[in-house]
Amino acid sequence: MTAPEIVLTADLVRDLLRDQHPDLAGLPIREVPGGWGNQMWRLGDELAVRVQRNDPTPQLQLKERQWLPVLAPRLPLPVPVPVRSGEPSERFPKHWTVMTWVPGEPLDHGTISRGEHAADTLADFLRALHAEAPADAPVSADRGAHPRDCTDGFEKFLEAVALDDLAADVRAVWDDAAAAGAWEEPPGWVHGDLHPANVVVAEGTLSGIVDFGDLFAGDPAWDLAAAWVVLPEGTAARFFERYARADESAIRRARGLAAMKSLFLILMGQNGDRGLPGGKPHWGPAGRAALDRVLKGL
């Protein structure tokens, strides 16, 4: 956590810019919705400043600085590209990054009304992203494993959420994913954290993807779970048809991972209702809707 004596404000962000990037310090600054690990400010019309908040390590921002300039040119949707680096200082002891702004609003504050278009758009984006990763690509310590190796985490989420009559159905989806075949192709690039707060929408459809701090090389099923977690009901089948690279085992793994991600969203919503740090009250309904889609299948 950020030291309690340091309050992240627009004035602090402007001071940091004056110290390290004075040519940007005169641009208008306003806070916008951020994620769990970073607080974010809009900087002028085309930039944003992401300031490390809850992330215990700078590695997530450093990873974005290294790899997003490599990946962005080949992706068919806008993604934030680092343009300036902010280093720890006496004024603020953590990392911060100036990035390009992705127009639109996060899906957890917006809606998708053009479901088929969004399904095609997400499929095309993930086909482009899921190219074979180089040998020096990052790996994940807590994501990317086969569902059967994540069962302890799934059970903790399921117990914490207390679904009562739905628990058996959700566990059945997970058990099917755990029994599915493993990913046996070379590791591909995986966003790793696709959920409503990390996809951007405009004019009723997907318009960008943000927050690549969990980027890793591994099983694309971790992203394919977005067919249920992000897309509206009735579009998962179209998504997988357009994506065209997921066999039955990958779809089963993805559906189980979507169940786990949905439970996480519900739990974060509960944390917000209790006033806990990092809680997101509006994530609860999004997680419950995603879980309903998971239980309905394709």
Side-chain angles (χ1 to χ4, degrees):
M1 298 291 289
T2 300
E5 66 273 12
I6 298 178
V7 179
L8 298 176
T9 66
D11 288 340
L12 173 60
V13 172
R14 192 176 302 282
D15 287 344
L16 295 176
L17 289 167
R18 286 195 183 105
D19 288 346
Q20 299 189 32
H21 301 288
D23 59 311
L24 301 179
L27 295 173
I29 298 175
R30 62 180 177 89
E31 188 173 1
V32 293
W36 169 272
N38 296 277
Q39 200 160 334
M40 188 157 67
W41 282 263
R42 185 87 178 263
L43 181 63
D45 293 331
E46 299 180 353
L47 300 173
V49 181
R50 293 181 74 223
V51 180
Q52 186 185 345
R53 180 172 55 183
N54 290 334
D55 286 342
T57 168
Q59 292 307 313
L60 303 186
Q61 282 208 25
L62 298 180
K63 185 195 304 184
E64 289 185 325
R65 292 180 188 178
Q66 178 180 0
W67 291 107
L68 280 176
V70 176
L71 294 174
R74 72 173 190 227
L75 298 176
L77 283 176
V79 300
V81 179
V83 296
R84 302 284 183 91
S85 297
E87 305 306 321
S89 64
E90 291 185 4
R91 191 180 296 269
F92 185 72
K94 294 190 175 186
H95 286 74
W96 50 279
T97 305
V98 180
M99 314 184 81
T100 55
W101 174 254
V102 177
E105 62 180 345
L107 179 57
D108 61 331
H109 292 275
T111 58
I112 292 175
S113 57
R114 300 166 60 197
E116 292 186 351
H117 184 277
D120 291 348
T121 300
L122 182 61
D124 291 346
F125 177 85
L126 291 181
R127 279 179 59 92
L129 175 63
H130 291 166
E132 184 175 346
D136 60 341
V139 296
S140 176
D142 60 351
R143 300 170 192 259
H146 193 285
R148 62 172 170 261
D149 298 322
C150 304
T151 297
D152 287 348
F154 167 80
E155 292 290 348
K156 289 179 181 177
F157 285 159
L158 186 61
E159 180 180 359
V161 170
L163 292 174
D164 300 325
D165 55 327
L166 290 179
D169 293 337
V170 176
R171 183 174 282 110
V173 171
W174 182 262
D175 289 344
D176 182 66
W183 173 253
E184 296 181 352
E185 301 296 326
W189 283 113
V190 179
H191 178 283
D193 197 25
L194 289 177
H195 60 71
N198 289 339
V199 299
V200 179
V201 294
E203 299 181 352
T205 191
L206 293 184
S207 60
I209 305 292
V210 298
D211 196 347
F212 284 74
D214 288 307
L215 183 73
F216 66 89
D219 181 359
W222 282 78
D223 283 351
L224 301 180
W228 295 275
V229 176
V230 170
L231 295 176
E233 183 176 340
T235 59
R238 182 184 180 103
F239 165 82
F240 282 110
E241 181 179 0
R242 178 84 169 208
Y243 181 79
R245 294 179 183 174
D247 60 16
E248 178 187 0
S249 291
I251 295 173
R252 291 165 60 193
R253 295 194 308 277
R255 188 178 175 213
L257 292 167
M260 183 168 68
K261 289 170 180 278
S262 299
L263 294 175
F264 169 76
L265 291 173
I266 295 171
L267 184 59
M268 288 290 286
Q270 293 175 352
N271 285 348
D273 292 339
R274 299 168 188 158
L276 298 179
K280 303 283 186 179
H282 55 294
W283 285 14
R288 191 56 186 259
L291 190 61
D292 289 344
R293 295 191 291 268
V294 168
L295 294 177
K296 291 176 182 176
L298 292 176

